[in-house]
Amino acid sequence: MGKELIIVLDFGGQYKQLIARRVRECNVYCEIHPNTLSLEKIQAMSPKGIILTGGPNSVFAEDSPTCSRELFEMGIPVLGICYGSQLMSYRLGGVVETAPSSEYGHTEVILDASDSLLFGDVAPVTTCWMSHTDYIARVPEGFRVTAHTDKCPVAALEDASRRLYAVQFHPEVLHTAEGTKMLQHFVKDICGCCGDWQMSSFVEETIRDLREKIGDDHVLLGLSGGVDSTVTAALLSRAIGDQLTCVFVDHGLMRKNEGDEVERTFGPDSDFQLNFVRVNAQNRFYRRLTGQTEPETKRKIIGNEFVEVFGDEARKHKGKIRYIAQGTIYPDVVESGDGKKSDVIKSHHNVGGLPIELVRELGFEETPIEPLRMLFKDEVRQVGRELGIPRELVYRQPFPGPGLAVRIVGEITPEKVRIVQEADYIFREELHLAGIDENLGQYFAALSNMHSVGVMGDHRTYGLAIVLRAVLTSDFMTAEAAEIPWATLQKCMRRIINEVDGVNRVLYDLTSKPPGTIELE
Ligand code: XMP
C-alpha cells in the first residue's frame, strides 16, 4: 500500500463508500473503519488525516455512536461531515440543537472566510447537498464559522491551528458542485498528501506482498469468469505463476461462447502462466435441474451442485494446496461486515466457494487470500487492464451466479439454453452495433415459457417467446426499462425469429424495478 493513508471513520452514513472513493480519486489511499477503532490502532496506522462520516443519529441521544475527545488532540487533521461535524462540535464543547424542520436537498452555501484552506478557490456562494435536522448552534472555543446558509447558521467551521475542519453538508456527493475540490483541499493542502497512490503501484505492491505471503505454497481459486475472479486470477498468476490452480466450473448456463472465452484467456494457450482446470459439468447440472420449475429451487440446486463439483476438484489437490483465494472486493467487505472482517463472517459458511468443513478436512488455511478486498469495482477493472486482461472481459456487464437459469422461466433444458444463448447473442451484438450498449446497466434476452401460435411461410408454428430486457440502473436496486430505438428492436426481432430455431415471438419488457426485478426469476 502507498504510504499516505486517509481513514474514514464510519458513523452509519450512507455515503461512506463515496467519501473513500473521492479521496482515492485524489490518488490518496483511503480505508473505511468502524467508529469504534481505538486511538492506539489509529496511531499505529499513522494516517495523514481522518474523516468522520455522516449518520442517522443525534449526538445527544443516549446510544448514538461517539468518539473520544482525544481523537481531536492527536495532531492528525480531522474533517467532520454532517453528523461528524456535529460530533466534533459537541465533543469539543460547542452546542448542537434540533431544528424545527429539516434542511434537505440542494442548498446555497455562503462562505464567510475567504482564507479557509478547505475552500481555497471555491466560489463565495456555492451549491451544496444538505440532509440534516440537528444543527450546530454555537461552535466550540477556538473555532470560527466559515460558511452558513439561509436556515443554518453554521454550515462549516474550523480551527485551522489544530487542523480541525467540519462541514454540515456532504462534499462527497456530486450534487455538491465543488465538493470534490473541497475534499482535494483537505487531503492535499490540509493533510499534506502528495497523492502518489496509483493502480500501477498497487499492482506492483500487491504482487510483491502475495509472493512474500505465499512463498512456495500452492493456491486454489474458483474462477467464474466474472470480473472479480478473473482479475484475482490474473494478479495471482503474475505473483506465483503455476503455484496457482484455477478451477472453472462450466455449469452450462453461461452466455454464448463464454466458457471458451474464459478458457482462451487463462488456458494453456494464454499469456497467463497457471494451472487451468475447466470442469465441463454441463450435463451434471442439467440432470439435476430436470423437471424443476421453482426459481428458488433452481438457484439452490445450482449452488449446491457448484459446491459439489468444486469440492470434488479440490479433493484432488489435498496435500498440495495451502491457500484458497477469493475475489472479494471492497463493497463486499464494507457491506457484509460493517467494519468487521469479511473473512470472519464469510468463513462461517464457506471459503472461496468451499464449505468450511471441507476446507478443514482437506487441511487448507481457513482465511482466504483476497488481493482485491480493498478495491472498488472500477479500480478492479483498472487493475485488470494493467494486467493485460482483454477489455471485453474487464468491462463485461454483471452476470448472475446461477447464470441463464434465472433467465429461463420454468424448466431448464439444453434446448432452451441454446435458444436463450442465441437470442441473447444477437441482442447484444445489435446493441453494440447501434452504439448504445455502454449506456445500459444490464441488457439480455430471456426465455418465457409462453408458447404461442405463429405462421412462417405456409406453416403454422407453435414456438416460444423471447423477452428482451434492457435497463438503466446504477445501483441495481432500482431500474428503469431503457428506451431502445424502435428500428434496433425491430432488427433484433427479425434476426431472432429468422436465426433462432424454436422462437416465433419477441417481446420487449417495459417493467421497472420495483415492482419488477431485473432478472425474470
Ligand atoms: P434482480 O433480478 O434481483 O437483480 O433485480 C439485481 C442484480 O443481481 C443479479 N442477480 C443475481 N446475481 N445470483 C447472483 O449472483 C443470483 O441469484 C442473482 N439474481 C439476480 C442481477 O443480474 C442484477 O445484476
Side-chain angles (χ1 to χ4, degrees):
M1 293 300 154
K3 311 253 171 324
E4 297 180 335
L5 167 71
I6 297 284
I7 290 181
V8 171
L9 289 183
D10 174 17
F11 289 91
Q14 55 179 328
Y15 300 130
K16 60 193 172 197
Q17 296 207 25
L18 218 44
I19 301 173
R21 294 203 38 162
R22 299 269 173 265
V23 172
R24 290 191 192 184
E25 280 163 17
C26 302
N27 297 109
V28 175
Y29 183 65
C30 181
E31 285 181 3
I32 304 169
H33 288 275
N35 63 66
T36 49
L37 189 68
S38 70
L39 293 182
E40 294 72 49
K41 284 205 175 129
I42 294 178
Q43 227 133 23
M45 295 162 117
S46 42
K48 301 283 274 184
I50 298 170
I51 299 179
L52 315 180
T53 73
N57 301 79
S58 204
V59 284
F60 29 75
E62 220 168 77
D63 44 8
S64 32
T66 189
C67 64
S68 71
R69 244 188 103 93
E70 289 81 60
L71 180 73
F72 305 107
E73 291 164 0
M74 297 197 294
I76 302 170
V78 182
L79 171 66
I81 295 176
C82 195
Y83 180 80
S85 75
Q86 295 162 9
L87 191 63
M88 183 190 288
S89 303
Y90 186 64
R91 297 301 295 162
L92 295 176
V95 177
V96 177
E97 287 178 0
T98 302
S101 64
S102 303
E103 191 179 27
Y104 180 79
H106 292 101
T107 310
E108 299 278 88
V109 167
I110 300 132
L111 302 192
D112 297 313
S114 57
D115 59 338
S116 167
L117 275 184
L118 186 66
F119 296 129
D121 52 350
V122 169
V125 179
T126 184
T127 304
C128 297
W129 184 257
M130 283 285 194
S131 172
H132 67 119
T133 308
D134 286 0
Y135 70 101
I136 298 160
R138 205 183 66 222
V139 302
E141 218 180 293
F143 277 75
R144 63 172 178 161
V145 178
T146 51
H148 69 277
T149 75
D150 264 1
K151 281 192 179 166
C152 179
V154 184
L157 64 157
E158 67 182 41
D159 178 349
S161 65
R162 287 190 280 169
R163 297 196 293 174
L164 302 178
Y165 294 78
V167 289
Q168 180 57 67
F169 51 85
H170 288 275
E172 68 278 20
V173 303
L174 290 177
H175 304 294
T176 296
E178 298 180 90
T180 305
K181 237 188 222 178
M182 297 173 198
L183 288 172
Q184 178 115 8
H185 289 317
F186 178 68
V187 167
K188 301 263 171 84
D189 304 335
I190 296 167
C191 301
C193 295
C194 63
D196 55 3
W197 191 67
Q198 283 171 351
M199 268 313 141
S200 51
S201 47
F202 170 87
V203 170
E204 273 167 38
E205 282 165 26
T206 307
I207 289 176
R208 206 178 50 222
D209 292 350
L210 286 169
R211 276 186 190 141
E212 199 170 298
K213 180 181 165 85
I214 299 165
D216 294 331
D217 287 316
H218 286 251
V219 177
L220 182 69
L221 170 71
L223 188 63
S224 70
V227 178
D228 305 339
S229 67
T230 296
V231 175
T232 304
L235 203 48
L236 276 163
S237 138
R238 293 278 187 252
I240 57 167
D242 62 6
Q243 287 159 253
L244 172 68
T245 298
C246 286
V247 174
F248 164 53
V249 175
D250 190 341
H251 53 23
L253 299 160
M254 310 278 285
R255 286 171 288 203
K256 186 176 171 180
N257 301 338
E258 214 162 31
D260 296 341
E261 276 167 31
V262 174
E263 182 164 354
R264 234 191 335 270
T265 307
F266 289 110
D269 300 332
S270 73
D271 296 340
F272 291 99
Q273 191 199 6
L274 48 83
N275 298 305
F276 176 84
V277 182
R278 176 175 178 171
V279 187
N280 287 313
Q282 294 91 332
N283 291 335
R284 261 179 90 158
F285 281 85
Y286 294 157
R287 235 184 352 260
R288 288 280 156 98
L289 288 164
T290 305
Q292 301 294 340
T293 54
E294 262 297 302
E296 284 316 305
T297 315
K298 282 158 55 177
R299 272 194 172 79
K300 241 180 234 138
I301 290 174
I302 293 166
N304 292 342
E305 194 59 20
F306 176 84
V307 170
E308 291 268 314
V309 176
F310 187 29
D312 286 351
E313 204 53 45
R315 274 178 224 282
K316 296 182 189 163
H317 299 274
K318 186 176 178 180
K320 181 178 159 208
I321 297 287
R322 173 157 182 211
Y323 296 104
I324 304 283
Q326 189 168 348
T328 317
I329 69 170
Y330 205 35
D332 309 328
V333 176
V334 177
E335 289 318 321
S336 70
D338 218 18
K340 285 182 232 147
K341 286 181 79 183
S342 78
D343 44 23
V344 176
I345 291 147
K346 283 188 175 158
S347 65
H348 225 56
H349 308 289
N350 74 65
V351 182
L354 294 177
I356 185 73
E357 299 76 23
L358 182 62
V359 169
R360 287 184 185 139
E361 180 195 319
L362 299 179
F364 302 159
E365 293 284 334
E366 290 179 24
T367 305
I369 290 186
E370 301 170 308
L372 307 178
R373 61 177 281 130
M374 300 318 274
L375 300 190
F376 290 107
K377 194 80 170 187
D378 52 340
E379 294 172 330
V380 170
R381 294 197 157 113
Q382 280 178 49
V383 170
R385 294 301 287 145
E386 291 274 340
L387 292 167
I389 302 173
R391 211 187 135 76
E392 317 80 77
L393 282 186
V394 168
Y395 285 95
R396 71 168 26 150
Q397 50 171 327
F399 188 60
L404 298 177
V406 298
R407 297 182 184 168
I408 295 174
V409 180
E411 188 185 1
I412 291 162
T413 63
E415 169 68 357
K416 284 186 176 176
V417 172
R418 178 197 58 81
I419 291 178
V420 78
Q421 278 179 338
E422 296 293 338
D424 182 67
Y425 189 79
I426 293 171
F427 188 45
R428 285 190 287 133
E429 186 171 67
E430 288 301 328
L431 291 188
H432 182 67
L433 288 173
I436 42 184
D437 53 344
E438 291 201 356
N439 302 321
L440 301 170
Q442 209 162 351
Y443 53 99
F444 53 86
L447 187 60
S448 77
N449 59 358
M450 176 180 109
H451 280 88
S452 67
V453 173
V455 47
M456 268 176 125
D458 293 330
H459 301 284
R460 282 173 84 77
T461 59
Y462 193 55
L464 281 163
I466 276 286
V467 177
L468 299 181
R469 181 126 173 92
V471 295
L472 302 175
T473 178
S474 50
D475 56 8
F476 297 87
M477 307 288 281
T478 60
E480 270 177 79
E483 270 189 51
I484 307 293
W486 190 245
T488 309
L489 283 176
Q490 289 264 309
K491 189 165 179 213
C492 292
M493 178 272 291
R494 268 194 309 274
R495 281 195 60 195
I496 290 171
I497 291 184
N498 286 331
E499 298 174 31
V500 187
D501 255 5
V503 178
N504 69 350
R505 208 166 279 260
V506 176
L507 313 173
Y508 187 66
D509 188 347
L510 294 179
T511 323
S512 47
K513 173 181 177 175
T517 49
I518 294 176
E519 305 292 348
L520 258 64
E521 284 205 333

